Amino acid sequence: GAGVSQSPSNKVTEKGKDVELRCDPISGHTALYWYRQSLGQGLEFLIYFQGNSAPDKSGLPSDRFSAERTGGSVSTLTIQRTQQEDSAVYLCASSFELDYEQYFGPGTRLTVT
Amino acid sequence: AQSVSQHNHHVILSEAASLELGCNYSYGGTVNLFWYVQYPGQHLQLLLKYFSGDPLVKGIKGFEAEFIKSKFSFNLRKPSVQWSDTAEYFCAVKLRRTSNTGKLIFGQGTTLQVKP
């Protein structure tokens, strides 16, 4: 079956521009997660969704970051006014329910120039 | 703050050697434990998991891990590695508590290089 998919796979943007990253979870998975993987910080948790709701946004690095999920499926992570320190691989994962194991997508490599 | 520590950053082994990668976490409560693997150019894949029950868990490709609660450890083992096991390995912990966020806390990763 299809796994978690993410688009785009690579994104190069200029500092100050806004970017949108998309995640399609495994069909039937109710929980969805965003992580960031960077050389200096390793794998960091950003936010999770249970259905369309994101109860805890405290993992987001700054108020330039936001995320939404619609229809209990696709999620978008938006970064406004990108900075060079936002350069990283953004990973999405999904799980059947919140307490189940998480399956990861291939990631979006974001480079801010 | 809760953390996960992987003892080795870079391990080099010859084929057929035995492997043990260390993982320790700092949290006194109930946890779920995972090992993920990232092969070159591929995405993170679940290798094995521990939720409850038998502390010795078996995963894919001949890997196993043992949860030792008293040592807060979840070490990954494989009796005989192959060149195809060359990858980066991540230990991850999920805290089981009332404010469940589903958040995985990852170790910094161990790069395994297997020489043919």
Side-chain angles (χ1 to χ4, degrees):
Chain A
V4 178
S5 61
Q6 293 185 246
S7 61
S9 53
N10 279 285
K11 176 72 177 178
V12 180
T13 190
E14 291 179 354
K15 178 181 171 181
K17 301 277 191 183
D18 297 352
V19 295
E20 270 193 6
L21 312 180
R22 176 187 166 108
C23 172
D24 273 280
I26 293 171
S27 177
H29 280 194
T30 63
L32 184 147
Y33 316 81
W34 285 97
Y35 293 83
R36 180 168 72 172
Q37 186 175 24
S38 58
L39 278 175
Q41 300 297 323
L43 274 151
E44 302 172 85
F45 173 81
L46 299 179
I47 193 170
Y48 84 101
F49 288 88
Q50 179 62 37
N52 290 334
S53 172
D56 182 0
K57 300 179 181 176
S58 61
L60 295 175
S62 77
D63 58 8
R64 296 184 295 104
F65 287 70
S66 62
E68 65 174 17
R69 188 180 186 195
T70 55
S73 181
V74 171
S75 175
T76 54
L77 177 69
T78 302
I79 309 172
Q80 295 178 311
R81 305 181 303 281
T82 52
Q83 303 294 313
Q84 287 188 331
E85 61 263 28
D86 300 334
S87 296
V89 177
Y90 289 82
L91 298 172
C92 177
S94 70
S95 64
F96 180 65
E97 290 181 358
L98 201 55
D99 287 334
Y100 285 64
E101 61 272 19
Q102 297 175 25
Y103 294 91
F104 283 80
T108 293
R109 181 175 297 278
L110 175 66
T111 303
V112 182
T113 61
Chain B
Q2 294 83 19
S3 65
V4 178
S5 177
Q6 292 183 236
H7 309 151
N8 313 97
H9 295 292
H10 196 163
V11 173
I12 302 173
L13 294 173
S14 298
E15 274 194 315
S18 64
L19 170 73
E20 180 159 3
L21 301 182
C23 173
N24 284 89
Y25 62 93
S26 62
Y27 180 65
T30 304
V31 294
N32 295 147
L33 299 158
F34 307 85
W35 276 96
Y36 283 85
V37 60
Q38 190 167 25
Y39 297 104
Q42 296 188 27
H43 61 280
L44 276 170
Q45 298 174 38
L46 182 64
L47 203 51
L48 48 75
K49 63 188 180 186
Y50 172 80
F51 277 54
S52 64
D54 188 343
L56 183 62
V57 293
K58 295 191 185 298
I60 60 172
K61 303 186 181 185
F63 286 90
E64 66 178 30
E66 184 175 14
F67 171 46
I68 302 179
K69 189 174 181 180
S70 61
K71 294 185 178 180
F72 302 94
S73 70
F74 191 55
N75 292 353
L76 181 70
R77 299 195 292 248
K78 185 171 184 179
S80 175
V81 295
Q82 301 173 313
W83 176 78
S84 58
D85 293 324
T86 294
E88 190 159 15
Y89 293 80
F90 293 91
C91 179
V93 173
K94 187 165 75 172
L95 311 181
R96 296 300 303 271
R97 52 189 181 189
T98 52
S99 57
N100 186 5
T101 68
K103 171 183 176 179
L104 289 178
I105 305 169
F106 283 87
Q108 64 268 50
T110 297
T111 301
L112 171 65
Q113 183 183 354
V114 180
K115 295 184 173 181

